[in-house]
Structures are given as C-alpha cells and as structure tokens.
Amino acid sequence: MPKGDRQTDGIFSRGKQYTYLAAEEAAGIGILVVVLAVLLIIGCWYYKRRCGYKNLQSKSSHAGTMRRVAGEDAPLDCKALLQEYSNFNSVQVTMSDITLMRISDSEKERMLRESLQRPGPYAALLCRAMIPKYLIVSWRGNVSYYGGPNKAALPRNLMQRLSNYLQESFIEMSQEDFCSIPGHIDRILL
C-alpha cells in the first residue's frame, strides 16, 4: 500500500504529493456546475417574465400619475378608475414607447384656448399633436387610454408627457375634469 493511501476513521486521505481529482470528485463538481447553470437559466427566465408582467400591468402607474395631476391622494370615484381596478386580473398590454412630436409653448397656449381651458379636450388636442398621424390611423380601434379587451394601452412616454403638460397648465383639476380625460383621448382613437 502506498504511503498516502491510508484510511483513518473511515475517511479516505491522500498524501500531499497527489494533485489530481478522483473520478467521484470530478463527477460531483460536474453535477454541481450543471445544477448551478440550470438554476441561473431558470432565474434569468423568471426575472425576464416578472419584468414583462410589470410592463403589462403598468396602467396603474398612469392612474397614480394622473391622480397627482388632479391634486388628490385618495382614489377617484369615476367609471374609468373603477373599470381599471375591476379588471385587475385581466392582462393589459402597454405599447412600447414611441417618438413623440414636439409641441411649442405657443402651440400649447393655442390648444388651451381652443379647448376652452378644459383638461379633457386639451389632453385630446395634445395627443393629436404629439402622436404622428400614421400612428393615429394604425391605432384606431386597437388602442385606448387604459387598454382593455383586445386593445393596448397608450405608451408610457406619451402618458408621462401628457401628465407633465397637464400639470403645467392646470394647477387644480376637478374630479369630473380628471375623469373626462380618458374619454376625450379615446374618441381620437375610435
């Protein structure tokens, strides 16, 4: 029996002069690497799936933004928001960001006068000016403010820009005016 191959207390020990791995050790390390690779792949798949799910459920962030525009912290009692929360379990698709047309301050003032200082018509005019014409035509019947069955919700960047413009133009907004915004925008997309 060679020097380093002694068994003490049931544990196989090797001498210091040996630097190779036994077949059992190599197999164990190989299995460990395979298990870790599988766990990494499953983790990446799950993370991607969860991020996609958050994008699909992003309509609630728009309602919070618009609620801040209205200057209210409590949930609003309007039909659109009730529909939003009653459809919580349904899958909603938010369109990816689009390139928005720029609107000058003079154009915004003209639209504000044309809308008679009302947030709903003003939001509709802003949307019509920011969204390229070919997109409005292709979105007809397929897109709505909050989305819905067989319809996608408006892109996030459009909602954010619209929220910013409304916040700049209206210091206070009544609940009725706030609830009229989705309806006016949806009329453009019918």
Side-chain angles (χ1 to χ4, degrees):
M1 185 185 246
K3 264 188 183 176
D5 292 341
R6 275 186 261 133
Q7 199 161 4
T8 55
D9 298 327
I11 300 173
F12 183 77
S13 64
R14 292 180 289 159
K16 292 183 181 179
Q17 69 267 20
Y18 299 110
T19 58
Y20 63 89
L21 293 175
E24 297 86 13
E25 292 171 334
I29 290 172
I31 291 171
L32 178 66
V33 167
V34 168
V35 167
L36 289 176
V38 167
L39 287 175
L40 179 66
I41 290 169
I42 290 171
C44 290
W45 170 80
Y46 182 74
Y47 177 76
K48 183 179 178 184
R49 181 174 172 228
R50 290 295 296 166
C51 287
Y53 180 74
K54 288 177 186 173
N55 287 340
L56 293 175
Q57 294 294 334
S58 66
K59 66 177 183 160
S60 60
S61 67
H62 301 317
T65 303
M66 296 308 290
R67 229 178 264 129
R68 274 184 247 115
V69 170
E72 300 178 14
D73 293 329
L76 298 175
D77 295 330
C78 69
K79 185 178 178 182
L81 290 176
L82 288 176
Q83 285 176 347
E84 173 189 352
Y85 291 115
S86 67
N87 293 334
F88 186 69
N89 292 331
S90 66
V91 175
Q92 300 259 326
V93 178
T94 301
M95 300 190 69
S96 56
D97 289 351
I98 61 169
T99 303
L100 299 173
M101 310 286 280
R102 294 198 180 270
I103 302 174
S104 66
D105 289 337
S106 61
E107 283 182 275
K108 285 191 275 185
E109 289 172 13
R110 180 193 53 79
M111 285 188 252
L112 195 56
R113 283 191 307 273
E114 189 177 320
S115 66
L116 303 175
Q117 305 284 332
R118 302 293 298 186
Y122 181 59
L125 289 171
L126 286 171
C127 280
R128 189 172 290 160
M130 287 189 290
I131 303 171
K133 304 275 187 253
Y134 71 93
L135 282 178
I136 291 177
V137 171
S138 67
W139 286 0
R140 290 225 162 102
N142 300 319
V143 178
S144 67
Y145 188 84
Y146 288 119
N150 301 324
K151 289 189 177 185
L154 291 175
R156 254 188 230 165
N157 66 334
L158 175 63
M159 296 293 284
Q160 184 64 42
R161 177 100 40 102
L162 183 64
S163 174
N164 291 342
Y165 286 159
L166 289 171
Q167 212 167 15
E168 289 172 6
S169 301
F170 299 98
I171 297 170
E172 292 183 0
M173 193 181 305
S174 71
Q175 181 176 347
E176 181 182 322
D177 287 338
F178 173 72
C179 291
S180 73
I181 293 171
H184 281 89
I185 291 174
D186 285 344
R187 281 188 209 117
I188 297 172
L189 303 170
L190 288 177

